[in-house]
Amino acid sequence: LTDFIGSLNKDQLYEIAITSEMPLEWRYEAARELQSRSVKGDMITDIVRLYPFKTTTEISEYLGIPRSSIVNIARRLGLPRKVAANE
């Protein structure tokens, strides 16, 4: 169940979490997965601190959140866009 829940996107997880017809175990796992994916305040500090020295992929692996989240957060914070072959 954990592998299945982990493969879903946020919209799918939300639907499972709020649907009363779903088994309680599924709803609980979906809610936990949604919570674990949220970016916490200290992660923002880490992103700003690491951004000049690490790639977005390295930062995402370090923090355990998707690379796209790092890119979006950096954009919102006004950090300079990274120019690299694979970034």
Side-chain angles (χ1 to χ4, degrees):
L1 177 61
T2 303
D3 289 339
F4 171 70
I5 293 290
S7 70
L8 300 176
N9 66 38
K10 287 183 179 183
D11 291 334
Q12 293 167 325
L13 289 169
Y14 181 75
E15 282 301 315
I16 289 172
I18 65 167
T19 303
S20 61
E21 292 82 23
M22 291 300 242
L24 186 58
E25 179 184 5
W26 285 46
R27 294 176 71 195
Y28 175 73
E29 285 297 324
R32 278 182 34 140
E33 181 67 21
L34 280 169
Q35 189 175 31
S36 75
R37 290 185 186 182
S38 67
V39 177
K40 291 146 185 72
D42 56 336
M43 287 183 178
I44 302 294
T45 303
D46 287 337
I47 291 168
V48 171
R49 183 177 54 82
L50 294 170
Y51 197 79
F53 311 105
K54 302 288 183 183
T55 66
T56 52
T57 301
E58 290 171 328
I59 296 169
S60 73
E61 289 171 357
Y62 176 76
L63 296 175
I65 59 176
R67 181 186 166 279
S68 60
S69 294
I70 303 297
V71 172
N72 291 332
I73 291 166
R75 187 178 308 128
R76 279 198 318 260
L77 295 172
L79 297 174
R81 185 173 178 186
K82 291 199 172 265
V83 180
N86 61 353
E87 286 292 306

